[in-house]
Amino acid sequence: MAMRNKRKLGDVLKENGLITEQQIVEVITKKKAKQKLGDALVEQGYITEKQLLEVLEAHLKIPSVSLYRFPIDEGLIELIRKETARENILFPIQQQESILTVAMNDPLDYFAIDDLELSTGFSIKPVIATKDDILQAINKYYDMEDAYTDEISENEEAPAIRILDQILQTGVTLKASDVHIDPAETKVVIRYRVDGVLRTEKTIPKRLQNALIARVKILSELNITDTRLPQDGRIRLIIDAKPVDLRISTLPTVFGEKIVIRILDLSNIFKTLTELDFSKDILEKYQGVIQQPSGLILLTGPTGSGKTTTLYSSINELNQEGVNIITIEDPVEYQLEGINQVQVNSAVGLTFAKGLRSILRQDPNVIMVGEIRDRETAEIAIRSALTGHLVFSTLHTNSAIAAIPRLFDMDVEPYLVVSALSAVMAQRLVKKVCVDCKQTRPVTKMEKEIFSRYDIDVNEVVEGAGCDSCRSTGYRGRSAIHELLVIDDKVKKMMMNQSDMTEIKAYVKQNGMRFLIVDGLLKVQQGITTFDEVLRVATEE
């Protein structure tokens, strides 16, 4: 076994002025059991993963690698058990004579290195890679090995079980919102939606398609024999020691059933409003609105714009012992303690409208209606708001102001809409610049003109150069931008007089309402997102 100068990570970081002894003690007291110090420091925000890797690379003279670009020798995975690789976050990438090069998230984990030298018989040469990079490589390459190992087996159920487990594990590792299992003519393509963008991660043999689809259907309690009609279901699993809710949707296509699995991140939904990237002034106004005893509050935006997260955070803020909160949803996405949730079931006649009528007889203080889809639901929700209830719901409109004509178009009496509506908030999600590779650049002439149009003074903006942490995209994670329309007496009067929407827009703009484009540009000014991202989701006013 090679002799090593065994240094501790904390000492290396202290020497480089990145952290103090006191901060290390604070992190150790807060960190989870068995969590490594480096992971805890990154998770608690004391350092970035890039800073951690740079220090280890520079001061320990250990090189870093990007696994998704590295020419990996797939035969080496036979040397290290998958469980060992996952537990210690390491992956074998190269072998030269008696030296095995292993990518490690923590190259100072000498216990793991010693164990590998004993189990493989090779001298271990550690190199550094990010945690996500290693976990994705484990899922990808061990998954392929499982599939090919089982090719001679007539029983395809076992590899399908393993492959589905690894597909889901990869989805959680990538922080994907959706997993697409797409049947093609000669293969099955697995795609993940990460930060709003779909990307192909792997393909699996066509012969495993039926067993894989059957496995998903069994877990979600769907009808395995019915392959001609779409079906919906859900699964709750523990993946990487975290509870995860999965929503399953199947759709018959010419090459077999396509499956989309929505991954509901339970850690995100329990965020408070202050953790949802609101601009300070919009947050204060919104918190004021939801503290009112009655009224209708609408959230608008396209599918996947974070409306559900904001809704749940809003009712969580109001969730106290003395408040009776009831929701009616299709489907119930997250189960919240202390809140009575009702699942729409059209098959037995439990629609939004019928459920809402029954809720009103349950003495609620706060009601959440998953979505207003028709005149009947709109009218009951509005009448509920007028009879002393605080009602939350969503509409699919492009802006906050567009919700007003949308409600009128549902043939609800204008005086009811005017009396009930308290506020409308529109929101969109934009990709955040990767913190590990962000860099500044001067604004272009066109950008300067657009910033000036909204009285925003910006000379430099940030963008991601592309690095291993963000897989060279320049973005990692998402943030929300908002616009909040609070219905005051003047707006009510304009609504009753059926004023043109441009008049209402001009009035609220004059009175300080900030539109999506402006909130987005302010977040570009703050270095959170990019100019291109804001223009992708918000139009100029």
Side-chain angles (χ1 to χ4, degrees), residues 79-111:
L79 297 172
I80 299 174
R81 291 169 61 244
K82 182 171 71 173
E83 292 72 20
T84 302
R86 282 194 69 83
E87 186 179 331
N88 297 290
I89 313 178
L90 51 85
F91 189 83
I93 58 173
Q94 202 173 55
Q95 182 234 322
Q96 288 178 316
E97 297 176 351
S98 63
I99 298 171
L100 179 65
T101 303
V102 178
M104 300 183 70
N105 183 234
D106 180 5
L108 297 177
D109 187 347
Y110 300 112
F111 292 109

Side-chain angles (χ1 to χ4, degrees), residues 276-323:
L276 292 185
D277 305 322
F278 279 98
S279 298
K280 189 180 175 186
D281 56 335
I282 293 179
L283 176 61
E284 286 173 0
K285 283 182 187 173
Y286 184 66
Q287 285 178 318
V289 168
I290 69 171
Q291 293 299 333
Q292 295 174 1
S294 64
L296 175 63
I297 299 168
L298 294 176
L299 269 73
T300 75
T303 302
S305 59
K307 299 189 299 295
T308 303
T309 301
T310 305
L311 270 181
Y312 278 119
S313 298
S314 302
I315 60 175
N316 254 341
E317 190 124 327
L318 303 171
N319 188 12
Q320 297 160 7
E321 188 185 350
V323 180

